[in-house]
């Protein structure tokens, strides 16, 4: 793989927002009778009055279909959107360049991802009146602020990946021991 090239395994055929379409439909039906949470997030669960130390309302990440915050998080945090945003940082790319750089993405999924990011105001699309038509994609100023946030998450992941690997190994060993699959090994 070339240095600086972003590759991603996997394929999202038959999914919507990272969930199987049937699961999304079932989840929507199961929560249809639940009262909606206000679209504007409050500072705390009770509106901020009881606890001045509370930074956010956990309900703002509500999993029901109608929750605007959840919809935006689902959009910007899916693997294809993250890769597109990262690739468009400080450069303009054509559709074919994006498709070539993102391993495993179908033409249709890239089209859908770009349209959604454009609709959300994160990516701009410029059509050049030439034959054959040329279309360029770039991050908007809003998209650039999201890239900064994503970069902070990537930096955190890089800094803590060894700790996470140790925690995973310990967890896997503990689960195997509880199932009787592996003997206990002292550390």
């Amino acid at each position: 793989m070339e240095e600086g090239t972003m590759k991603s395994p996997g394929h999202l055929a038959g999914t919507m927002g990272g969930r199987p379409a049937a699961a999304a439909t079932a989840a929507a039906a199961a929560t249809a009778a639940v009262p909606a949470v206000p679209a504007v997030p409050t500072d705390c669960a009770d509106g901020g009055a009881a606890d001045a130390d509370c930074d956010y309302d956990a309900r703002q990440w509500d999993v029901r279909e109608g929750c605007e915050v959840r919809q935006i998080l689902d959009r910007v945090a899916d693997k294809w959107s993250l890769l597109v945003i990262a690739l468009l940082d400080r450069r303009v790319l054509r559709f074919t360049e994006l498709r070539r750089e993102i391993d495993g993405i179908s033409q249709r999924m890239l089209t859908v991802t770009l349209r959604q990011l454009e609709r959300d105001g994160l990516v701009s699309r410029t059509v050049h009146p030439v034959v054959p038509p040329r279309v360029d994609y770039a991050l908007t100023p809003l998209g650039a602020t999201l890239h900064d946030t994503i970069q902070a998450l990537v930096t955190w992941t890089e800094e803590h990946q060894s700790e996470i690997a140790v925690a995973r190994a310990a967890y896997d060993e503990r689960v195997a021991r509880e199932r009787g699959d592996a003997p206990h090994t002292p550390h």
Side-chain angles (χ1 to χ4, degrees):
M1 176 178 5
E2 294 178 52
E3 188 169 313
T5 301
M6 302 195 68
K7 300 294 180 182
S8 172
H11 185 72
L12 287 181
T15 63
M16 294 181 71
R19 294 187 301 177
T25 304
T31 59
V34 180
V37 173
V40 178
T42 59
D43 290 334
C44 297
D46 63 353
D51 185 1
D53 294 332
C54 180
D55 321 274
Y56 67 91
D57 178 359
R59 291 178 299 172
Q60 72 185 352
W61 296 17
D62 196 298
V63 296
R64 291 175 284 217
E65 291 294 318
C67 178
E68 191 70 24
V69 171
R70 179 79 257 163
Q71 290 173 2
I72 294 168
L73 286 172
D74 285 346
R75 169 85 31 77
V76 300
D78 87 16
K79 69 179 178 180
W80 302 127
S81 294
L82 290 172
L83 289 168
V84 167
I85 291 165
L87 285 167
L88 292 176
D89 180 46
R90 296 186 202 111
R91 61 185 174 157
V92 175
L93 292 172
R94 296 162 119 184
F95 183 93
T96 54
E97 293 170 317
L98 283 165
R99 182 146 184 237
R100 188 173 33 249
E101 292 291 322
I102 304 174
D103 188 36
I105 194 166
S106 68
Q107 181 170 337
R108 181 187 176 285
M109 184 54 70
L110 181 55
T111 299
V112 168
T113 300
L114 287 166
R115 283 184 186 157
Q116 291 172 339
L117 292 172
E118 182 182 7
R119 181 174 183 250
D120 289 342
L122 303 171
V123 169
S124 65
R125 177 178 180 264
T126 304
V127 179
H128 300 277
V130 295
V131 177
R134 188 177 115 212
V135 180
D136 292 331
Y137 294 91
L139 284 184
T140 63
L142 180 61
T145 65
L146 178 58
H147 181 268
D148 294 342
T149 301
I150 292 167
Q151 187 58 51
L153 182 60
V154 170
T155 300
W156 179 90
T157 304
E158 289 170 345
E159 290 172 357
H160 297 284
Q161 65 185 345
S162 61
E163 294 170 71
I164 292 169
V166 168
R168 286 177 176 176
Y171 174 87
D172 292 345
E173 181 182 325
R174 187 179 76 244
V175 168
R177 221 179 23 252
E178 289 170 358
R179 283 191 284 197
D181 295 345
H184 174 66
T185 54
H187 295 285

